[in-house]
Each structure stands twice: as C-alpha cells, then as structure tokens.
Amino acid sequence: MDESRWEKITGWKLAGFALGLAAFAALLCASEPGFVFGLDHANLLFHEAGHPFVGLFSNRLETYGGTIGQLVFPVLLAVSFWRKGQALSFAASVIWFFENWLNIARYMADARALELPLGGGGDHDWNTIFTRWNVLQYDLNIAGTMKFIGWAGMFAAVLWVGWRWWRDRNRADESIEQF
Ligand SMILES: [Zn+2]
C-alpha cells in the first residue's frame, strides 16, 4: 500500500493519542476483566442489536449475530479511516476491535460456568455455539486464545502508531536536510 497516503503523525498528535491511550488503559485496569465501563456497554448494545438483525437472514446464524454485531462497527470504522489515511483514528478503531475480543473471551469463558448475567432472551451464545461445535470442554482454552489475540492486536496497533510517528519524524528530518 502507498505509504504517503497516511496522514503525518506529528509529536502533538502522538501526545494526544498517548493521552487517550493512557485514559483507556486506566479504564481497562479499573474495570472488571473483559468488561470495560462505558465501552462494553456500547459493545453490548451492538451485540443485542446484532442478534435480531442477523436473525432476519438466518435462524441458525442468529446466535452468532451478537458477536458479529459488536465487531462490525469497529471494522467499518477501521476500513473507513484506513481509506481516508487517518492513521490515529484507524489505530483507535483497531484497538476498539481487539478490545471487543477481551469482552467476547469473557463470555466464551462462561460457556460452561453460566454465571454471567445475560441480557435479552437469556440464551447463552457461547454455550449454544460451543455445544454445536462440540468444543464446550475447551471453552477456557478458546477464551484464553481470544484474550491473547485481543491484547496482541491492541499492542500491535499501538506499536504501529509509534512506528509511523518515528518514520514520519525521520522523513521530516531528511526533507529539512535536503533544503
Ligand atoms: Zn448474545
């Protein structure tokens, strides 16, 4: 992909991003694992909207609709920011996307325990899905993997921002030297 289409990440923009990231990290630490206050309330809304929406098209897929619903908005945002070359907004969307994985992992890990309070219907998505897939006994392993990917994805997005900033800075130095 053409590198020049990404907006330049200045030191000020990076500082703003770091500040937002710090607030997000603080919120993540203060929240119970897998449920970030505010953000996961929004995710839950998208989740609950996803079930009936997907249910319009397929009864069988309706169970997956919640998870699809909570992932689809960060994906749409990420694609849109990527196309506009808005690097920091893109990274924030990617972080939101992968934060969702922690929330999904929390739900997956509950597939056998059935301890989480459930909104809407009272069906446990992951108990249903894992039973369907015949992997119910692996719920904790699958959740652990999801959680790992979630963290790895968020770290990757932050590293990418740092790397872009560093590159942009060096590129700026080069252009100053040329003139
Ligand atoms: Zn659900």
Side-chain angles (χ1 to χ4, degrees):
M1 115 162 225
D2 180 9
E3 283 295 320
S4 62
R5 47 178 248 106
W6 287 107
E7 68 175 348
K8 191 172 176 298
I9 298 178
T10 61
W12 281 110
K13 281 185 187 167
L14 185 77
F17 182 78
L19 214 64
L21 195 67
F24 172 67
L27 193 64
L28 207 65
C29 292
S31 303
E32 63 172 296
F35 200 88
V36 176
F37 191 85
L39 190 54
D40 278 316
H41 286 97
N43 292 335
L44 194 61
L45 281 181
F46 294 133
H47 179 107
E48 293 307 333
H51 280 302
F53 185 77
V54 171
L56 289 177
F57 304 99
S58 158
N59 255 337
R60 189 172 168 78
L61 291 181
E62 184 168 356
T63 319
Y64 303 89
T67 306
I68 295 169
Q70 68 186 97
L71 290 175
V72 77
F73 289 99
V75 168
L76 288 178
L77 276 183
V79 169
S80 151
F81 288 131
W82 177 70
R83 292 177 65 169
K84 289 184 207 154
Q86 296 178 359
L88 294 180
S89 303
F90 168 73
S93 309
V94 170
I95 290 171
W96 181 24
F97 174 77
F98 282 109
E99 181 276 332
N100 259 297
W101 287 49
L102 304 184
N103 179 253
I104 294 165
R106 170 177 177 260
Y107 198 2
M108 285 177 161
D110 187 59
R112 274 177 302 176
L114 301 171
E115 282 165 357
L116 286 179
L118 299 178
D123 285 338
H124 195 295
D125 298 355
W126 291 105
N127 182 280
T128 310
I129 294 167
F130 286 160
T131 303
R132 209 181 267 175
W133 293 351
N134 233 339
V135 294
L136 190 59
Q137 71 269 37
Y138 304 117
D139 59 352
L140 294 179
N141 305 55
I142 299 170
T145 306
M146 286 288 291
K147 205 169 152 184
F148 175 79
I149 297 173
W151 279 110
M154 290 194 288
F155 274 118
V158 172
L159 284 179
W160 180 77
V161 166
W163 173 73
R164 287 219 63 84
W165 166 77
W166 182 79
R167 265 185 58 126
D168 286 347
R169 206 181 57 145
N170 287 341
R171 216 189 280 158
D173 289 346
E174 277 165 27
S175 60
I176 289 166
E177 278 163 25
Q178 279 167 10
F179 289 103

